[in-house]
Amino acid sequence: MDYLLHIAILSSIYSLAVLGQNYASGYTGLISINHGAFMGIGAYAGAILLKWYGVPFPVAFLAAGAATGLAAWLLSFPLLKLKGDSFVLVSFGFSFIAFNLFLNWRGLTNGALGLKAIPGPELVNLLDNTKIIFLAILLALILITLWGLHKILQSSYGVVIRATRENQKVTQIAGHCTDSYRRSVFVLSGVITGIAGLFLASYISTIDPTLFNYHLSVLLLIMAILGGLASLKGSIAGATLLIVLPELLRFLGLPNSILAESQQISYGLILILLMYYRPVGLFGTYKI
Amino acid sequence: MKKFLLPLLVLSLAACSGGEQGESDVIKIGYIGPMTGDAGSYGHDTKKGIDLYFQEHPTIQGKKVELIYEDAICNSQSAASAATKLVNIDQVKVIIGGQCSSETLGAAPVTEQHKVILISPVSSSPEVRDAGDYVFRMYPSDAIVGQTLAEEALKYERIAIITESTDYAEAYHDSVLHYLVQAQEVTPVVDEIVQPNTADFKTILQKVQNAKADVLLSIMQTPVKSGILVKQAAELGITAQIYGTDTLAGDDFEQHAKNAAKGVKMVIVAEDDSRAEVKEFKKVFGNFQAPVIFSLKSYDAAHVLADAIEAVGYDSDAIKQWLYDMPGREGLGGPIEFDEYGENNSQAGSVKVGVEDPATGRIVFELLREEP
Amino acid sequence: MQIILNGLIVGSAYALMGIGFSLIYSTVRYFNLAYGMVAVIGAYVAYTLMNSWSLNYVIAMLAGALVAVLIGMLSSSILFKPMVRRGGSSLVILVASFGLLIILQNISALIWQNTTRALSISDRILPGYNLFGLIITPNQLMIGAVALLMMLILELFLKKTRYGMAIRAIGDNQELTKVLGLKTEQIILAVYVIGTFISAISATLIALEIGIRPTHGVTLVIKAIIAAIIGGLGSIRGALLGGLLLGVAENLGIYFLGGQWQDTVAFTLLAVFLLVRPEGLFAKKRLVSVN
């Protein structure tokens, strides 16, 4: 039972992160490989405040969102000037730079030693099994985000965003400042993913820079593509599948020495098969 | 979403049915270590040391011992997953691990939360001291062993330090620096960091050479990195005396450093070679991939744990108390007594130096004989 | 000084990786991320040949490169060509190539384990040679010499042979290649052969310094991409310069900023070029954009 809650919580955290990723990548065509770094920023911002300044959780929540939003905003200036493959490359590069910062800025992040004993929301202590309320908070957050994003995408603002994805030039000619639209999407996607990062930090209670390197960014993108770009429920599906599948492999009784590699090979196979047969992913509507 | 409910249901039934662990006729002991990766030599030897003990003593309280191994690749995230799996799925109450300090530090939050004993044979980071109430370790803290390294460094004028940015290496570096700067007010002339994913030290070594350092402390996570550093230093003609930490020697080090290892020194806890039991152990063990002391410590860890369970049963709180209360004893790897932090700081570091074995031509590490 | 020499030597290996990558990109117009991993497998094969059959370094390197070429050709025919035919965009193929990289990386980990394998020219570690006050190690000499040789051979090939001319032409004008009597598919195969061969040689050379481990696949393809982009995708001379520049910049960064910022320096260099001069040093083709 505890184990199921554990899987459910991880799936929820990643689902939230992928909602952020998909919002940027699926709906705006910004195929970014830096959301792992965003999770890291949210995680570290919240963890530092929670652990060393003892702030109440809601404050850390706001701080995580704000810090990541700020980082996304700053990053958007150089990044949004680029298109297509160059965007992908620089975004990928940012995940390395962010990793270096997490690792080297020892005064702030404690470097390779990481942060330990990060507290979670006080609410979870209401029940003996802290996981239950933690999961409940996450699910509520996911629902709110789903509802919020849905509303945004349905609005006239959302129409412009999708138009920008299809053809930026035409949208500009129609009179829209596409850059500020794309920037706002990027920032919001960062905020959402940053908050997911905070919950990750609180849940596993120890974080270190290696958690947030390019592997995480790639994983988030794969989850988004698998579930389907430009599909909100696809984000959740993709995240959950890629959390549950490796756990299933564990039960196959594979000898330990090849388990990790087998999991990775299965990721690779999924990617290739997806790209070959169904690049839109499970529920997606946007073809890259 | 509906399609997920059925498999989830099945999974939950499976998980729950495996959950209830009443009186079982098996004693489960978990193992967390680097079975693969650059630190694989440690995983291999420590696992073998533990296996050796349980081959000789297969039962505790009449029940068979079952060892469950998890690979943590010298990585704290993997160790946390490994611990989660061992604790939640296998329902172990005692784990011998991690080996790399990163592993112990990663596993500890999980084991602490579930009140599972975590006894590490060879983790040495000072951080492990505060890792938890149920965390014990056999190997002295780097705060102590590192002091020996610092004292060695102080014999020279200009000290250079190269550290890998990993948790073990950085904590070790901090201990050494603390001793140098705080206690002795000496500042290194070069204090550089290298990224964990690279192995080209040449430019940093050039910095060391340019600063005219006469001693170089190499604080790396694994023998592989140490080996590559020593190799490149030799090629560049670095004249400074190189010192490594416990993570220097091993088969992997030798593979990379080859003859360049001659004259390299390392600070490590040394085993007492003169004892008959140690000689016997070495004979039975066979081929060592890592320093002998690691296998001895793992054997001792298994022994201490087995005695604890034999005395008080498979109850982690009772075992914990037993370990804290345990009177000092002599293990194969040296004295064992746990202080209030669960540390065993009864030994200091020794200096070993790489010498050429005339029989094989290979470089082996032997205790440095102090000149009068 | 010494640092610049270090940078130039390692940069020449990066340059080889970049040249091979640029060559392939200029013909197929997609990014193949598995490129770096295939190269590393070539190095692994060389390692196995040296260790198990005591082959000499150079022979083992060539043999390893041939195996890599085989894998490269297979990946092109079995995976990439069909995907292109199905109308996959360059981004789709990029993602698929990443999947291939992951698979190859983990298969390598299963075969050769995750520990770093050592590769050396000789049994003993020898001190470097002193040349005008600069030290050049035997490994560095080997890397520099072989890289130079490879580049010369490539230059000759591109200028003198039919395939070579077709490769140079295909980027500018596909019609021209038909005049030379070669089909596009043959040319694609040719660039895969050459590009993969060069990359495997490069990986085996770099292995002398840093050993071989599965994660080097990603590391090397990143270096290749940075070198190729700085130099201007599709330009051989550009990739050469890009690789050298990358090597020197990295080492200067290590010396003056500290080893911990190595990756940051590399990627900042990439970002600066993409923002300020996206066509690279020797503009030939702009990066294909998705839109």
Side-chain angles (χ1 to χ4, degrees):
Chain A
M1 187 51 195
D2 216 48
Y3 179 68
L4 275 181
L5 283 173
H6 169 75
I7 302 290
I9 291 179
L10 282 180
S11 304
S12 314
I13 293 175
Y14 280 91
S15 296
L16 192 61
V18 177
L19 277 173
Q21 167 90 51
N22 210 339
Y23 181 54
S25 301
Y27 291 98
T28 330
L30 299 166
I31 310 295
S32 66
I33 316 191
N34 58 23
H35 277 74
F38 286 163
M39 277 187 93
I41 295 175
Y44 270 105
I48 291 170
L49 287 176
L50 282 170
K51 189 175 155 65
W52 283 336
Y53 295 90
V55 305
F57 196 81
V59 173
F61 182 93
L62 291 170
T68 322
L70 180 64
W73 188 75
L74 288 169
L75 183 61
S76 71
F77 283 101
L79 206 55
L80 288 179
K81 286 202 173 66
L82 304 164
K83 292 208 183 57
D85 293 334
S86 7
F87 180 92
V88 173
L89 288 172
V90 175
S91 138
F92 188 61
F94 175 72
S95 63
F96 276 85
I97 297 179
F99 173 67
N100 267 180
L101 282 168
F102 293 144
L103 192 61
N104 298 324
W105 199 347
R106 291 190 67 192
L108 191 66
T109 64
N110 209 21
L113 292 156
L115 296 170
K116 307 191 190 343
I118 303 169
E122 295 82 22
L123 267 158
V124 300
N125 296 314
L126 284 177
L127 287 177
D128 261 344
N129 189 339
T130 57
K131 289 195 174 58
I132 298 183
I133 301 204
F134 201 89
L135 182 61
I137 299 179
L138 275 168
L139 290 175
L141 212 56
I142 291 180
L143 285 171
I144 298 174
T145 312
L146 273 172
W147 179 82
L149 287 179
H150 185 72
K151 275 268 168 292
I152 291 178
L153 290 163
Q154 295 246 303
S155 71
S156 51
Y157 172 88
V159 172
V160 178
I161 295 172
R162 266 179 293 222
T164 314
R165 180 188 71 193
E166 296 310 327
N167 194 327
Q168 198 171 339
K169 271 263 133 43
V170 170
T171 319
Q172 276 174 330
I173 293 173
H176 296 287
C177 180
T178 55
D179 258 4
S180 56
Y181 275 94
R182 296 195 311 158
R183 174 159 299 124
S184 55
V185 169
F186 197 65
V187 170
L188 183 58
S189 86
V191 170
I192 298 174
T193 310
I195 290 180
L198 165 68
F199 277 93
L200 185 66
S202 281
Y203 180 61
I204 58 181
S205 78
T206 17
I207 58 173
D208 70 78
T210 59
L211 251 182
F212 305 110
N213 60 16
Y214 76 89
H215 284 120
L216 180 62
S217 294
V218 170
L219 182 65
L220 290 176
L221 183 64
I222 296 179
M223 286 174 170
I225 294 181
L226 171 61
L229 287 175
S231 158
L232 291 178
K233 64 172 182 267
S235 313
I236 300 180
T240 309
L241 262 174
L242 283 180
I243 295 283
V244 171
L245 261 153
E247 295 297 320
L248 287 179
L249 273 179
R250 236 190 244 287
F251 289 103
L252 274 179
L254 284 166
N256 213 285
S257 48
I258 68 171
L259 187 64
E261 280 81 21
S262 315
Q263 287 176 352
Q264 293 286 315
I265 292 181
S266 64
Y267 281 147
L269 274 171
I270 291 176
L271 259 186
I272 293 185
L273 290 171
L274 259 183
M275 288 300 106
Y276 199 90
Y277 290 112
R278 203 182 155 81
V280 294
L282 290 170
F283 299 103
T285 55
Y286 171 57
K287 208 162 179 233
I288 51 171
Chain B
M1 283 311 274
K2 297 220 178 80
K3 20 184 163 168
F4 293 118
L5 280 182
L6 191 58
L8 221 58
L9 212 62
V10 173
L11 216 63
S12 69
L13 289 171
C16 286
S17 60
E20 299 322 303
Q21 188 84 49
E23 276 305 302
S24 153
D25 49 359
V26 167
I27 301 266
K28 290 196 200 175
I29 301 183
Y31 167 90
I32 294 180
M35 289 160 70
T36 60
D38 276 358
S41 51
Y42 299 155
H44 175 270
D45 277 12
T46 50
K47 174 177 177 294
K48 198 166 166 186
I50 297 168
D51 284 343
L52 212 62
Y53 179 80
F54 287 114
Q55 272 158 27
E56 296 169 4
H57 310 87
T59 61
I60 303 179
Q61 284 191 339
K63 301 182 193 161
K64 198 159 118 44
V65 170
E66 182 189 329
L67 287 161
I68 307 173
Y69 308 98
E70 290 292 327
D71 185 359
I73 333 171
C74 202
N75 174 289
S76 69
Q77 297 308 324
S78 309
S81 291
T84 306
K85 186 238 173 203
L86 284 169
V87 166
N88 281 328
I89 305 185
D90 298 303
Q91 307 265 314
V92 301
K93 293 241 174 267
V94 297
I95 297 178
I96 304 182
Q99 313 310 325
C100 287
S101 300
S102 318
E103 295 172 341
T104 310
L105 294 169
V110 177
T111 54
E112 277 302 292
Q113 197 194 14
H114 291 89
K115 301 194 186 202
V116 168
I117 301 277
L118 186 69
I119 176 165
S120 170
V122 296
S123 289
S124 61
S125 173
E127 304 277 308
V128 175
R129 189 190 78 159
D130 303 316
D133 204 23
Y134 291 79
V135 179
F136 295 84
R137 58 141 156 227
M138 310 287 298
Y139 201 87
S141 166
D142 287 334
I144 309 238
V145 180
Q147 193 170 322
T148 310
L149 182 63
E151 281 164 3
E152 287 291 306
L154 286 168
K155 295 180 184 167
Y156 298 82
E157 294 281 314
R158 301 171 70 82
I159 305 174
I161 311 180
I162 300 182
T163 311
E164 195 176 342
S165 52
T166 60
D167 45 13
Y168 158 79
E170 276 189 1
Y172 197 109
H173 162 268
D174 288 350
S175 298
V176 169
L177 202 64
H178 184 265
Y179 187 76
L180 287 176
V181 174
Q182 241 77 325
Q184 306 290 338
E185 288 172 24
V186 169
T187 320
V189 297
V190 171
D191 188 3
E192 285 291 328
I193 303 212
V194 288
Q195 283 180 187
N197 66 332
T198 186
D200 191 345
F201 300 97
K202 286 205 294 299
T203 298
I204 301 244
L205 285 170
Q206 191 58 43
K207 229 171 160 170
V208 169
Q209 188 80 316
N210 290 352
K212 299 197 187 9
D214 44 14
V215 68
L216 169 60
L217 308 182
S218 158
I219 308 178
M220 299 286 136
Q221 180 84 358
T222 63
V224 166
K225 288 286 166 59
S226 312
I228 297 179
L229 182 135
V230 167
K231 167 179 98 163
Q232 289 172 353
E235 287 175 342
L236 286 175
I238 301 283
T239 48
Q241 168 68 51
I242 300 181
Y243 275 87
T245 65
D246 331 57
T247 56
L248 186 103
D251 271 3
D252 294 325
F253 171 79
E254 202 189 331
Q255 240 209 357
H256 290 273
K258 302 207 220 290
N259 52 298
K262 188 161 171 188
V264 170
K265 294 185 182 166
M266 65 184 289
V267 170
I268 188 174
V269 170
E271 68 277 12
D272 188 351
D273 251 343
S274 61
R275 290 171 55 190
E277 311 95 341
V278 174
K279 290 204 184 78
E280 180 64 30
F281 180 92
K282 281 167 128 171
K283 226 172 42 178
V284 173
F285 194 95
N287 183 41
F288 290 90
Q289 286 186 9
V292 179
I293 188 73
F294 294 166
S295 330
L296 291 169
K297 290 288 184 190
S298 347
Y299 185 92
D300 285 346
H303 193 174
V304 162
L305 194 60
D307 284 356
I309 302 177
E310 187 71 51
V312 299
Y314 195 65
D315 173 336
S316 55
D317 283 312
I319 296 173
K320 177 184 75 147
Q321 203 50 53
W322 190 93
L323 288 170
Y324 279 121
D325 295 337
M326 187 184 83
R329 58 198 267 174
E330 190 69 24
L332 283 183
I336 309 172
E337 184 169 3
F338 298 112
D339 63 17
E340 70 268 30
Y341 296 103
E343 300 210 295
N344 174 29
N345 286 327
S346 26
Q347 285 161 298
S350 309
V351 181
K352 287 196 176 183
V353 65
V355 295
E356 190 164 337
D357 177 353
T360 62
R362 292 164 56 185
I363 309 290
V364 292
F365 279 88
E366 287 182 0
L367 267 178
L368 190 61
R369 315 284 161 206
E370 284 297 324
E371 295 103 43
Chain C
M1 313 130 53
Q2 183 72 46
I3 313 300
I4 302 204
L5 177 67
N6 289 348
L8 287 174
I9 301 277
V10 75
S12 65
Y14 291 162
L16 277 185
M17 295 281 330
I19 291 174
F21 190 87
S22 213
L23 207 59
I24 297 181
Y25 181 84
S26 68
T27 311
V28 299
R29 307 307 216 111
Y30 57 74
F31 279 85
N32 173 11
L33 298 179
Y35 172 79
M37 196 61 231
V38 175
V40 172
I41 291 182
Y44 265 126
V45 169
Y47 166 83
T48 308
L49 289 173
M50 283 188 78
N51 269 46
S52 309
W53 291 338
S54 304
L55 278 184
N56 153 277
Y57 174 75
V58 176
I59 312 258
M61 172 166 66
L62 291 170
L66 287 176
V67 173
V69 164
L70 196 65
I71 301 178
M73 286 190 340
L74 282 172
S75 73
S76 167
S77 326
I78 299 181
L79 182 63
F80 298 122
K81 199 168 78 175
M83 286 194 77
V84 170
R85 236 193 329 209
R86 287 167 76 98
S89 71
S90 65
L91 200 52
V92 168
I93 301 183
L94 185 148
V95 174
S97 77
F98 193 78
L100 183 61
L101 173 110
I102 298 178
I103 294 180
L104 290 176
Q105 180 174 326
N106 283 279
I107 292 182
S108 304
L110 287 174
I111 302 179
W112 288 285
Q113 275 88 58
N114 269 309
T115 183
T116 309
R117 298 286 171 191
L119 201 63
S120 17
I121 315 175
S122 60
D123 267 337
R124 296 179 63 79
I125 307 292
L126 300 162
Y129 308 105
N130 206 309
L131 229 64
F132 311 115
L134 292 175
I135 310 229
I136 179 162
T137 70
N139 285 340
Q140 283 181 313
L141 208 56
M142 173 68 78
I143 295 176
V146 174
L148 200 62
L149 189 65
M150 282 275 100
M151 286 187 242
L152 286 171
I153 296 180
L154 186 66
E155 183 82 8
L156 280 169
F157 177 85
L158 287 176
K159 288 239 160 66
K160 306 283 168 156
T161 71
R162 212 162 47 116
Y163 269 100
M165 290 192 273
I167 292 170
R168 285 190 298 144
I170 196 170
D172 299 322
N173 192 337
Q174 232 174 321
E175 291 299 310
L176 208 58
T177 64
K178 295 214 179 82
V179 167
L180 287 159
L182 291 167
K183 293 217 294 259
T184 312
E185 287 182 7
Q186 292 174 294
I187 302 178
I188 293 181
L189 212 61
V191 288
Y192 258 95
V193 167
I194 303 171
T196 313
F197 186 81
I198 299 178
S199 70
I201 300 280
S202 173
T204 316
L205 288 173
I206 296 182
L208 287 173
E209 289 289 17
I210 63 175
I212 318 176
R213 60 189 306 205
T215 51
H216 287 165
V218 178
T219 312
L220 288 180
V221 74
I222 291 176
K223 307 284 186 208
I225 292 177
I226 297 181
I229 287 183
I230 295 179
L233 276 173
S235 159
I236 307 294
R237 212 145 298 171
L240 168 59
L241 219 62
L244 293 175
L245 185 61
L246 177 63
V248 172
E250 264 188 1
N251 277 283
L252 287 175
I254 293 174
Y255 193 84
F256 291 110
L257 297 171
Q260 64 267 45
W261 298 108
Q262 190 179 337
D263 280 345
T264 302
V265 167
F267 280 104
T268 309
L269 193 64
L270 175 69
V272 163
F273 263 89
L274 280 175
L275 287 167
V276 168
R277 201 183 155 84
E279 62 275 16
L281 292 168
F282 295 96
K284 220 178 175 206
K285 300 160 207 331
R286 268 181 178 271
L287 273 183
V288 179
S289 86
V290 169
N291 287 340

